[in-house]
Amino acid sequence: MRALFVGRFQPYHLGHQYVVKCILEEVDELIIGIGSAQESHTLENPFTAGERVLMITRALDEIEIKKKIYVIPLEDIYRNALWVSHVCSMVPPFQVVYTNNPLVYRLFKEAGFEVRRTKMFNRSEYQGTEIRRKMIEGEDWERYVPRAVAEVIKEIDGISRIREIAGKR
Ligand code: NAP
């Protein structure tokens, strides 16, 4: 069975990594869809789709997964009724969707897919918004992301980018 897990991954953090490991215990292959792929260089979405692909693939290399994982950027289409068809046209066929996002849940359910809720590991700490805030404020953010993700963010000078966008320099 092949599954789909969609998120914005701004950035990909240890909570996401935990969810991915849990999903892989239940399925044979996983598609990770990077939502809002067209967005970057904003406070909500600082990283490009390509940078997020790099973060996720390198973080997955760290945990030596044997199962096949596809990481695929998905642009928003601003027409919810057509979004599931749009997603299906961009990724390999899948049978089950993992999400906690109520809209994503509803749209895939209406389209007839099996949809499962995901577990979330220590949600109060492992949260994209909170990690981005720490980056801006100069607090310790690295402990909340896989080591490979921290390396990518440094490689692309991501902290300067998000601080500049926030008007901190
Ligand atoms: P999101 O807007 O990125 O995330 C919403 C919230 O859910 C965030 O706080 C996120 O936390 C949290 N979250 C993510 N995964 C979670 C999990 N496993 N357990 C608990 N909370 C979790 O939405 P998303 O569900 O991650 O991604 C949906 C993507 O689909 C978005 O890019 C959206 O734009 C796209 N979409 C597009 C359309 C359209 O184009 N019409 C329609 C529907 C959805 P973190 O920040 O920590 O991840």
Side-chain angles (χ1 to χ4, degrees), residues 23 28 55-56 91 106 120 138 143:
I23 296 173
D28 305 307
M55 289 178 201
I56 296 170
V91 307
R106 178 74 199 181
M120 207 55 189
R143 58 189 287 247

Side-chain angles (χ1 to χ4, degrees), residues 7-8 13 16 35-36 76-77 80 83 100-101 118 120 123 128:
R8 281 176 24 251
H13 55 63
H16 299 130
S36 306
D76 291 332
I77 60 164
N80 288 335
W83 185 66
N100 278 335
N101 179 318
T118 59
M120 207 55 189
R123 183 67 189 149

